[in-house]
Amino acid sequence: MKHSIRIASGQGFWGDLQTAPLDQVRKGPIDYMMMDFLAEVTMSILQKQKMKDSKLGYAKDLIPLFEEILPDVVNKNITVITNGGGVNPLACRDAIFSVAKKLGIKGLKIGVVLGDDILNEIDSFAARGIAFDNMESDAKLASIRSNLISANVYFGAFPIVEALQQGAQIVITGRTTDTGLTLAPMIYEFGWQKSDWDKLAAGTVAGHILECGGQASGGNFSAEWKSVPDLAHIGFPIAEAHPDGRVVITKHENTGGLVSEATVKEQLLYEIGNPKNYITPDCIADFTSIRLKELGSNRVEVSGVKGRAATETYKVSMAYFDGYTSFSTLTYAWPDALEKAKKADEILRTRLKDLNLSFDEIRTEYLGFDSCFGPLAKSSGEMNEVVMRIGVRSHDKNSVERFGKEIAPLILTGPPSVTGFAGGRPKPSEVIAYWPSLIPKTAVTPKVVVEEI
Amino acid sequence: MKIQLIEIAHARSGDKGDTGNVGVIARRPEYYSLLVKYLTVEKVKEHFRGICNGNVELYELPNLGALNFLLHKSLGGGGTISLKNDAQGKTLSSVMLRMELEIEEKHLNSEH
């Protein structure tokens, strides 16, 4: 057994810093690189792409990325784990195999985790008594069933472990938890068992620290943001994991950013609920047990993590069509910038009302004044300029389209010194809403396929 | 004496559906007890009036010198439904840190 492994974070979301995974494989030693691509509604966007073209439905950025990093990955024996397979991990694998062929790489094994996509089985599950009630609002699935676009089970680390055991050097999954991508190599390398709750929780905490990329290494850091060095060349976080569950968070030398107790604390607090109950498919981690210790420059030890038995259910991430939105902005200049913007809003709303359009919501915010602070915004004298930002939402597409035609006229028929209308009439966008629910673990089985080229 | 929360704490915020989470972290270990004493659910609910339209939940993480607040019904429906510029609650941390607190002087050390 290895004494420690280095797991690097390569992407915190789809569209993250493109150079980060390159730096992780080139600027220092790592054993594994995990890349998280999937936010809550990403699967539905990918599902739509797959409906148009059966060869799509995964994070396309992965292909040019692998063209760049595959030689490094193979030469340095780095294992890459990503959930960027989206709703079509097999097509993603085939595209990476094509890259390998083009580069003349042989003997590469890619593992794929399948079985998370349950869209076509929803009704048969429902017939067997699985309700899929919305776990946040308790609403019934029937209320949105006809608008359902995607339904995916969140799998954990163990299907990835199976792929690693079969020799995969790249593992492509669909809807696997962000934390599972980091936990899996620890389970595999250190031989952790399914009931090693403290260790599984320790790996899960490490996963939470890595899953948002640079947010653990000096990005979006509120405590002392001015003191973070060279954010332009930020080094993404790396977890040095040990068999006993102890983890050291660090980053490559000669990179920018900062790993300190404070940067790690901010990431630990990010988007958590009850810290004693951080629930994943693999375990329940207790964030109140975490001990942090700065070991030196850009090295923070994470230890003491306690865990409890996993629950009997998987979370299911569903997405459904829920109407249309449209947004527009106009910029008003001194004098009386805010008054003018408010008057423009009043005029616009009057016109929309006269047209008898149907909206679920109209929201106006004044950027530069109150979009972050709402009613807590403080007036501080004369404003140089203010941006009126107005958004509408409706299930009636015509109303949303008509809204788009009412913005430009405000420039010549409303308050003066207004600019910033560019890009033509705002178009309606489809709203893809999120529906979280649960399914018994016994109802679904992940499937692992490993193939070699 | 009156202080602003940002003097004794830093914070990060994010979203889970229509709920915003704000993690508030003491800048020094000794400030954690100040957070526990003065940053109550009632105080936070009052501060966020007009932004947070639901309950406020508070969880303590003494090991990290931090409090985690959940602000329900704060993001205009949340996710892709929300029409807010900050639909994901990324700046709720700033709103929190701008809060003014009336604290007893003896609780702050001279280095503050």
Side-chain angles (χ1 to χ4, degrees), chain A residues 215 219-220 222-224 265-267 269-273 275 287-288 290 365 371-372 376 389 393 432, chain B residues 10-13 15 21 27 47 50-51 59 61 63-64 68 70 80-81 83-85 90-91 95 98:
Chain A
Q215 252 202 160
N220 189 23
S222 94
E224 300 290 343
K265 276 183 189 175
E266 283 198 17
Q267 179 53 25
L269 269 292
Y270 183 62
E271 289 184 350
I272 62 166
F287 276 40
T288 67
I290 299 168
E365 294 176 333
S371 86
C372 300
L376 278 70
R389 179 184 189 270
R393 180 162 45 81
I432 309 296
Chain B
H10 57 114
R12 176 169 293 176
S13 56
D15 68 317
N21 111 285
R27 286 185 183 268
H47 179 68
I51 294 178
Y59 295 100
L61 295 95
N63 55 321
L64 301 179
N68 185 36
L70 299 185
T80 50
I81 292 173
L83 298 179
K84 286 173 78 94
N85 183 37
K90 301 273 187 190
T91 62
V95 179
R98 207 178 189 185

Side-chain angles (χ1 to χ4, degrees), chain B residues 1 30-31 33-34 37-38 103-110:
Chain B
M1 65 183 291
E30 60 269 30
Y31 293 164
S33 58
L34 287 181
K37 184 174 163 75
Y38 292 102
I103 68 170
E104 291 173 61
E105 206 148 345
K106 63 177 185 188
H107 289 306
L108 270 188
N109 64 30
S110 56

